[in-house]
Amino acid sequence: MRLLELPDALRDRGVTFRLVAGCEKRGADFPSRPRAVLMHWTAGPRTGLAPSLNVVTFGRSDLPGPLCQVLQSREKDGNGLDIAYVVALGIANHAGKGSWRGISGNSRSTGLEIEWAGPTEPFHNVGRRRETSVRILRALLDVSAP
């Protein structure tokens, strides 16, 4: 199964988003509805609106992409919220290669990556960035199993 309703869920939560070309087919099918959401930051470059988009879409040498379903960029919409990029509607490798008790975190959860270099980068407009994250997480939960 694929999260085909994710764009509508983001829209319903007031998130401005862009579909990354191929997102509908990116990632394998979920065996069943995901049951959790993971959130990470990119630890990528300190500048640029979405400099990690290529990495989260296509992966890195040690982990194939996609690495999330949604990337939260530094780019702002007309309301001061961050713009989201829908990277994949299938399984993403946001939980890495591992598993716990034989259960893959990737096939059981969805993932949000926030464009942020980490503690060395100021988290500008923290309230609006946090609000965007909450809206995206809520949308990901909306398309997950109850």
Side-chain angles (χ1 to χ4, degrees):
M1 73 152 291
R2 301 205 159 263
L3 304 175
L4 299 176
E5 63 276 23
L6 180 57
D8 287 335
L10 289 166
R11 191 176 295 108
D12 291 347
R13 294 291 173 179
V15 177
T16 301
F17 63 91
R18 297 192 174 117
L19 299 176
V20 176
C23 68
E24 299 88 355
K25 296 183 180 193
R26 192 168 291 114
D29 286 350
F30 286 95
S32 60
R33 286 248 173 235
R35 301 201 48 95
V37 177
L38 299 177
M39 180 174 68
H40 303 276
W41 71 75
T42 59
R46 290 174 48 106
T47 60
L49 299 176
S52 302
L53 182 58
N54 194 56
V55 172
V56 300
T57 303
F58 300 107
R60 16 177 242 256
S61 62
D62 64 325
L63 190 63
L67 303 184
C68 62
Q69 277 74 32
V70 179
L71 171 69
Q72 180 179 333
S73 74
R74 294 182 183 109
E75 185 177 359
K76 306 296 181 209
D77 68 8
N79 298 313
L81 296 173
D82 297 341
I83 293 175
Y85 286 82
V86 178
V87 173
L89 298 182
I91 294 173
N93 288 322
H94 46 259
K97 295 178 184 177
S99 64
W100 178 76
R101 295 187 180 183
I103 299 170
S104 166
N106 297 321
S107 65
R108 302 289 187 191
S109 61
T110 59
L112 165 64
E113 285 282 346
I114 300 169
E115 192 69 72
W116 187 49
T120 62
E121 175 192 354
F123 203 68
H124 296 293
N125 202 7
V126 67
R128 298 302 275 170
R129 294 213 75 197
R130 183 178 295 127
E131 181 179 344
T132 304
S133 300
V134 168
R135 289 176 185 219
I136 294 169
L137 292 169
R138 185 65 243 177
L140 287 167
L141 288 169
D142 289 344
V143 300
S144 297

